[in-house]
Amino acid sequence: KSGLDPSGAWHAWGMACLKAGNLSSAREKFNRCLKPPMDLNQLNHGSRLVQDVIQYLESTVKPILIADDDYFATLRELEATLRTRSLSLEMMCEGKIQHNSYYQECLFYLHNYGTNLAIISFYMRHDCMREALLHLLNKESPSEVFIEGIFIPSYETGKLHMLENLLETIDPGLESWGVYLIAACKYLQRNNYYHILYELQQFMKDHVRAAMTCIRFFTHGAKSYTELGGKQMWLLKIKDHLKVYLQEVSKSSGRKKMAFTFRKKMSATDVSRHINTVDLQMEVTKFLHQCESSGTPQMTGSSLPTLFGNNNMKMDVACKVMLEGKNIEEGFGIAFRVLQDFQLEATEVYSKVAKQLVKQQKYSEIRQLHKCVNESGVAAKNDGDNIILNCLNEFKNIPAEDLDNLIQDMDSDENKIQAYMMCNKLRSAYLVSVRQQKTRAVQLVQHVRQLAENSGDDVVKAICAQWL
C-alpha cells in the first residue's frame, strides 16, 4: 500500500527460513528479491544480498560431515578427508560439496544469482581448483577472472604447482589456457614478480620469453662487472633456453606445423644471433670482472652497459673494454668483435675512447689505438688519422712532445698538415706542405701564409712568401 520496495523484507524472510533450516522455503523467498547480474564476467562477487546468503550458508557447514556422534566415525572421516586431499581434488570435491546440502545450496544461489568470479572463488575456497578451472573454460570467462579468481589465490597460498599440474591434466598441450597464461605473465611482469614469472614461463615451455626474463635477472640492479661476474649462471640459462627452442623448432619443421600459438616465436637466425650475443657478453663479463678485480679504474656512467641494451649501450661496452684493460691492445680484440657483430659506428667509438685517453693523459695509448685500428684490416683510409684529429680540440692540454708524436703517427700528409694548422704549428705545416705535388703544394702554402698573417707570425709568413 505504501509503495515501498519489498525486496528487503523478502530477503529478511529468506534469511529467517535459512536459519530455521527450511532451504526450499528460503529459495522461494529469495527468488522474489535476488536478480542475476547483468554481466556474469564482471570483476566482483555479485550483489551484497547474494554474498550474505553464501556467507551464512558457508558458516553453517561443519568442516567434516559426521553421520553420527561415533568418535571412530569422526576419525574415519578425518582420515578419508586427509587422504583424498592429497590424492585427488576431484574426490575431495565430490565428498565435500556434492554430498552436502548446504554446499549444494551455495552452488544453487551462485549459479542463479552470482558472477563467474563468485562461483570460481567459491570453488577455490573449498579446494576445488579443478571445478574452478572447468567453470572458467566452459563459460569462456575473460583472463581477468582467471587472474583474480584462480591465479592470485594459487600463488599466494603456495599452490602454483598444483595449478600447473591441473592445467596440464585438463589440456596437455596447454592451448586452451594460452590466453590466460599470457595474461598471468603480463600481470606478474607489471607487479615485478619476476621469479614467479620465470617459473611460469618454464612451465609453459615458452623458452624465448624465459630467456628474456633471465636477461633481466642478469642485468637488473648490477652496479659493477664484479657483480655481473657472480651472475654468469643466468647467461648459461639464457643459452640453454635458446638451444632448447632451436631443437624444438627443428623437430617441428619436419612434421606438420606446431600449434604453439601463445609461445613467443623467433627465427632460427635470430636465435643464433642471440646465442652469439650471450657468448660475447660472457667474454666481456670475464674480461671486465678481471680488470675490476685487479683494480683498474672504472669508466664512470649512469648505468652499467651490457650487450643486451640498445646500440648506444653496446658502444659503451666497446669503450669500457678498451679503456679498462691494462692497455688498449689488451681489450681491443673483444671491443672490435662487439663493433663488428653489431655493425656499430666504429669511428664514433674510437673517438670517444681517444677523448677519454686525453682526459687520462695517456697519450701513448692513443698512439697504440691508432696502430690497432690501422692493423684491424677493416678500417677505412682515414679512420686512424681521424682518431688523432678528433683529440686535437684538446691540444692546449697535450704536452708538445706528445702532440708531435701523435701528429707524426698519422698516415696521410694532408691530415698531418690539417693537424699542424689546428694546433697553430704553422712552421711544421709549411714543411709538410712543400713536399706535396707542386699544384697542391702551392694551395697549401698559400693557406699556411694566410694563417700566419692572421696570427701575426711574420717569420712563417716570410718563408711562405719566399717559397711561393
Side-chain angles (χ1 to χ4, degrees):
K1 283 179 182 178
S2 57
L4 296 173
D5 179 20
S7 59
W10 285 117
H11 186 259
W13 197 351
M15 287 302 285
C17 292
L18 272 190
K19 287 171 186 174
N22 191 346
L23 302 182
S24 56
S25 184
R27 282 189 187 191
E28 184 198 329
K29 307 297 180 284
F30 285 128
N31 189 37
R32 312 264 186 146
C33 61
L34 299 180
K35 291 179 179 62
M38 299 291 285
D39 175 15
L40 288 173
N41 287 319
Q42 60 197 39
L43 288 181
N44 59 43
H45 290 258
S47 72
R48 185 69 254 171
L49 300 180
V50 178
Q51 289 180 54
D52 287 346
V53 173
I54 301 303
Q55 209 173 338
Y56 173 75
L57 285 167
E58 282 184 306
S59 66
T60 313
V61 180
K62 296 184 179 71
I64 295 168
L65 300 174
I66 303 168
D68 51 39
D69 291 330
D70 183 346
Y71 289 109
F72 291 102
T74 310
L75 286 170
R76 278 199 299 277
E77 283 284 346
L78 179 60
E79 195 180 308
T81 305
L82 290 171
R83 192 166 58 249
T84 53
R85 185 185 288 269
S86 61
L87 284 175
S88 156
L89 285 165
E90 195 172 10
M91 284 169 64
M92 171 107 179
C93 293
E94 280 175 4
K96 197 173 182 184
I97 289 183
Q98 290 182 7
H99 300 150
N100 183 286
S101 54
Y102 279 93
Y103 279 128
Q104 286 304 306
E105 210 61 22
C106 285
L107 288 171
F108 168 80
Y109 287 107
L110 286 168
H111 281 292
N112 284 291
Y113 309 110
T115 60
N116 285 326
L117 180 59
I119 296 167
I120 283 165
S121 299
F122 173 79
Y123 281 132
M124 290 296 287
R125 275 199 304 279
H126 299 290
D127 291 331
C128 296
M129 197 186 282
R130 183 188 173 85
E131 278 68 14
L133 288 167
L134 291 173
H135 183 84
L136 180 89
L137 269 191
N138 293 338
K139 300 294 177 186
E140 295 178 354
S141 292
S143 48
E144 291 82 4
V145 174
F146 170 73
I147 303 288
E148 286 290 322
I150 299 175
F151 187 70
I152 295 175
S154 293
Y155 78 71
E156 282 183 346
T157 55
K159 291 179 182 170
L160 192 57
H161 283 302
M162 189 188 286
L163 172 62
E164 289 172 353
N165 291 339
L166 275 171
L167 293 174
E168 215 164 21
T169 307
I170 295 168
D171 178 3
L174 298 180
E175 287 303 318
S176 329
W177 308 114
V179 178
Y180 300 119
L181 288 168
I182 293 296
C185 289
K186 285 178 181 170
Y187 165 81
L188 292 169
Q189 198 166 356
R190 271 197 312 275
N191 289 281
N192 292 328
Y193 296 156
Y194 283 95
H195 286 91
I196 304 175
L197 173 65
Y198 181 51
E199 189 184 322
L200 190 62
Q201 285 167 338
Q202 288 179 92
F203 162 71
M204 291 160 67
K205 296 185 175 57
D206 194 347
H207 294 292
V208 176
R209 286 194 181 97
M212 288 158 76
T213 305
C214 290
I215 290 173
R216 189 192 181 278
F217 284 137
F218 175 71
T219 55
H220 185 68
K223 297 283 186 291
S224 71
Y225 263 87
T226 307
E227 278 182 50
L228 286 184
K231 295 167 88 174
Q232 288 187 76
M233 58 159 188
W234 290 114
L235 293 177
L236 295 170
K237 286 188 177 182
I238 297 168
K239 271 183 78 171
D240 289 344
H241 284 300
L242 294 176
K243 281 177 179 174
V244 171
Y245 177 77
L246 273 183
Q247 285 166 5
E248 286 183 357
V249 168
S250 62
K251 273 183 203 167
S252 65
S253 59
R255 302 198 306 266
K256 59 176 185 173
K257 283 268 182 203
M258 282 166 95
F260 294 154
T261 45
F262 64 91
R263 296 175 179 92
K264 190 167 178 66
K265 292 180 179 63
M266 195 179 274
S267 72
T269 319
D270 282 348
V271 175
S272 301
R273 198 161 43 78
H274 286 305
I275 290 174
N276 189 41
T277 301
V278 174
D279 284 334
L280 200 48
Q281 180 64 54
M282 280 174 126
E283 220 169 310
V284 167
T285 306
K286 280 174 190 163
F287 178 76
L288 290 174
H289 182 200
Q290 202 176 340
C291 293
E292 286 180 11
S293 304
S294 60
T296 315
Q298 289 181 43
M299 189 177 126
T300 52
S302 54
S303 65
L304 194 64
T306 69
L307 299 179
F308 299 119
N310 58 21
N311 278 358
N312 285 339
M313 194 183 261
K314 287 172 182 138
M315 286 160 85
D316 286 347
V317 171
C319 291
K320 196 173 172 66
V321 168
M322 280 192 264
L323 288 166
E324 292 198 10
K326 285 197 282 288
N327 52 45
I328 288 292
E329 203 169 356
E330 190 186 26
F332 186 82
I334 297 175
F336 183 70
R337 275 176 52 207
V338 170
L339 297 174
Q340 289 292 297
D341 281 10
F342 299 106
Q343 297 175 329
L344 302 173
E345 197 55 59
T347 46
E348 196 180 322
V349 172
Y350 296 145
S351 297
K352 206 170 171 185
V353 170
K355 283 173 183 170
Q356 199 72 25
L357 291 169
V358 171
K359 277 185 194 169
Q360 295 172 7
Q361 300 181 343
K362 294 181 175 176
Y363 307 112
S364 61
E365 292 292 303
I366 299 173
R367 296 177 70 188
Q368 195 178 34
L369 175 63
H370 177 265
K371 179 169 169 278
C372 287
V373 171
N374 284 344
E375 289 173 357
S376 68
V378 294
K381 189 183 172 191
N382 283 326
D383 278 1
D385 287 0
N386 285 337
I387 291 168
I388 294 171
L389 282 172
N390 285 327
C391 294
L392 296 182
N393 298 326
E394 308 284 330
F395 73 90
K396 293 189 180 85
N397 304 327
I398 302 173
E401 189 184 340
D402 289 307
L403 193 57
D404 276 338
N405 287 339
L406 285 171
I407 296 173
Q408 281 165 25
D409 276 354
M410 287 179 157
D411 300 309
S412 146
D413 281 351
E414 290 275 345
N415 289 333
K416 282 180 185 174
I417 294 163
Q418 189 188 340
Y420 282 131
M421 287 177 180
M422 277 173 75
C423 302
N424 291 330
K425 289 179 171 283
L426 299 180
R427 185 185 176 83
S428 301
Y430 162 78
L431 290 171
V432 182
S433 297
V434 295
R435 294 206 305 264
Q436 307 310 303
Q437 183 265 339
K438 269 288 183 289
T439 320
R440 182 66 183 139
V442 171
Q443 290 172 342
L444 290 166
V445 173
Q446 282 174 334
H447 190 192
V448 173
R449 184 180 67 173
Q450 186 62 53
L451 288 173
E453 194 177 321
N454 294 346
S455 63
D457 189 335
D458 294 334
V459 178
V460 175
K461 181 186 168 188
I463 296 170
C464 292
Q466 188 181 351
W467 186 87
L468 288 165

